[in-house]
Amino acid sequence: MSPSTEHGRPDPETTTLAPSRDGRPVSDRGDTVCVIGAGASGLTAVKNLTEHGFGVDCYERETGVGGGWNWRHDRSPVYASTHLISSRPFTQFPDFPMPDSWPDYPHHSQLLSYFERYADHFDLRRHIWFGTEVVRVEPVDGDRWDVTTRSTGGYGPERTSRYAAVLVANGHNWSPKLPRYEGLEEFRGEVMHASSYKDPAQLRGKRVLVVGAGNTGCDLAVEAAQQASRCWHSTRRGYWYAPKYVLGRPADQVNDALLSWRVPLRLRQWLYHRTLRLTVGDLTRFGLPKPDHRVYETHPIANSQLVYYVGHGEITPVPEVARFHPGGVTLTDGREIDPELVVFATGYLPRFEFLDPGILGDADGSGRPRLWLHAFPPGHPTLAVAGLLQPDSGLFTLAHWQTVLFARSLRLRREQPQRAAAFASRAAAGAGERYAGKVKDSSRHWFEVGHVDYLRAVQRALDELEGK
């Protein structure tokens, strides 16, 4: 399904043919930039690139905008009760505010309507090829890229187009990270990853074990407390559970105020501990394990209901799973439980099936890209990844400024190639830099950033581009 060309947008099927290394016909798209994905990061990339004077072709495998926030999409991790865990002012795009009448933590359906209005307001749909998936992205002719696409699902012929640059915005919360346990194959109960959870009816009346203590795991444990006949919540370690409101304000707004006042980390950690001590006290008395780390050393968990349901006996905290057997589960403390349904809320891994992993700096095959600002791969100044971040606040503002930086770097290549080459060297030297304090070494924290530190780093890069 292709977009209309009535706005003067060239049709890739009728543009100039370029030579190909393997004999395939290649449509040369000139200075046009390819954007992969029409979720939050892809949409802001299309907007910012077009505002900087670039033609854009955006390929979206689904039939609508919104990415993971569009619950109709096959890869969407959204479930019926999903709400933002970052508050509205710290989530919205800087140039397109959410309505003041919306709640502090909007529902996923409101987020989808926000993206649809964003796309319509900036007239972005005419640049998007819906129902089209990217099969391969290959570097050619220096810093240009051959992008091979086909209709989603593999139907129809493949088509290859050559672009001046590529921005990848395919998201990183759609490929489930599944744990391995001894005996799992013999377990007679039902097993699912949280990505398959959509509605409380899937839990109703069952004995449920939720594995994982991230934000999704805590949300699902709370839903199971309300719907299931029994709920166990298994975690590897203790965590700090932040309430969504502190001092009558969303917690991330209070934290941002402390950051804006440049309150030292140790003092912020002390204030956090003090607040928890005064509100919920010592959580180990409920059977929750004591955290083995300080506050802000793991991704924040914002949930005001988990402790409530643990305190009411509706959620039973249990340690890590040791093994499965046909009739149940053995825990690391030796206890046996008999869940009918096990939900693995164990997160996701980034996947870029259409790219050689080495291009993104994944030299060891771990699947972890090594990028400057978590966006720019060394040695490829016309390639960028947007939205590959796990911030302590909302993502959309950060993705906006990532794509502004990419657009301005491309414009500099056109106007001042020598300065652009110096900037590309900076990107190569900065691959792998961190933009967060000390955090746990796990795949969950590969892309962890403090939003203030990260935005300051992006601002320094923008200043460098402008020669300031």
Side-chain angles (χ1 to χ4, degrees), residues 412-454:
L412 190 68
R413 284 176 58 83
R414 191 164 58 187
E415 298 173 353
Q416 300 183 51
Q418 289 184 332
R419 279 185 53 202
F423 183 78
S425 298
R426 169 71 183 89
E433 288 181 355
R434 301 179 68 93
Y435 308 95
K438 176 185 175 184
V439 293
K440 284 288 182 181
D441 184 17
S442 68
S443 60
R444 183 184 179 208
H445 298 102
W446 280 355
F447 314 116
E448 191 75 17
V449 299
H451 72 285
V452 171
D453 290 340
Y454 186 82

Side-chain angles (χ1 to χ4, degrees), residues 45-89:
V46 174
K47 182 194 79 73
N48 287 321
L49 286 162
T50 54
E51 286 183 350
H52 283 77
F54 293 96
V56 177
D57 291 341
C58 176
Y59 296 111
E60 169 54 54
R61 71 185 308 277
E62 304 288 352
T63 56
V65 301
W69 286 101
N70 191 327
W71 60 271
R72 302 180 186 91
H73 293 176
D74 290 342
R75 292 178 171 179
S76 172
V78 162
Y79 40 93
S81 63
T82 300
H83 287 71
L84 283 175
I85 58 170
S86 55
S87 67
R88 173 170 45 85

Side-chain angles (χ1 to χ4, degrees), residues 76-267:
S76 172
V78 162
Y79 40 93
S81 63
T82 300
H83 287 71
L84 283 175
I85 58 170
S86 55
S87 67
R88 173 170 45 85
F90 287 91
T91 304
Q92 63 197 9
F93 291 115
D95 52 358
F96 195 74
M98 295 181 185
D100 290 339
S101 60
W102 280 13
D104 291 329
Y105 297 100
H107 185 255
H108 71 79
S109 60
Q110 293 174 301
L111 263 292
L112 178 56
S113 71
Y114 174 71
F115 294 131
E116 290 172 338
R117 292 207 307 272
Y118 182 89
D120 293 337
H121 179 79
F122 293 107
D123 194 20
L124 304 181
R125 294 180 194 269
R126 65 192 180 101
H127 301 283
I128 305 172
W129 293 74
F130 291 105
T132 305
E133 63 183 354
V134 173
V135 180
R136 287 183 300 279
V137 176
E138 303 163 294
V140 292
D141 294 345
D143 293 324
R144 293 172 65 78
W145 300 88
D146 279 358
V147 178
T148 301
T149 60
R150 67 186 177 196
S151 295
T152 300
Y155 302 106
E158 294 183 354
R159 182 178 68 235
T160 302
S161 303
R162 185 160 296 171
Y163 290 95
V166 173
L167 185 136
V168 179
N170 67 328
H172 62 101
N173 287 323
W174 57 268
S175 180
K177 178 185 176 184
L178 289 166
R180 297 178 181 176
Y181 290 105
E182 180 186 353
L184 181 58
E185 296 78 10
E186 286 77 40
F187 178 60
R188 290 196 294 262
E190 183 182 357
V191 176
M192 70 164 68
H193 188 270
S195 58
S196 300
Y197 175 75
K198 298 299 174 185
D199 188 87
Q202 294 171 267
L203 309 174
R204 196 162 296 145
K206 298 179 181 178
R207 300 186 303 277
V208 176
L209 169 64
V210 178
V211 178
N215 283 290
T216 297
C218 291
D219 282 351
L220 296 192
V222 167
E223 295 216 347
Q226 301 171 69
Q227 303 291 335
S229 61
R230 181 79 188 271
C231 173
W232 298 275
H233 188 203
S234 169
T235 61
R236 287 184 301 173
R237 61 170 64 96
Y239 290 90
W240 304 101
Y241 300 100
K244 281 196 163 184
Y245 286 90
V246 176
L247 304 176
R249 302 292 299 172
D252 61 351
Q253 296 180 24
V254 175
N255 184 55
D256 191 74
L258 295 174
L259 290 169
S260 67
W261 298 333
R262 297 183 180 270
V263 175
L265 174 61
R266 286 300 176 90
L267 180 53

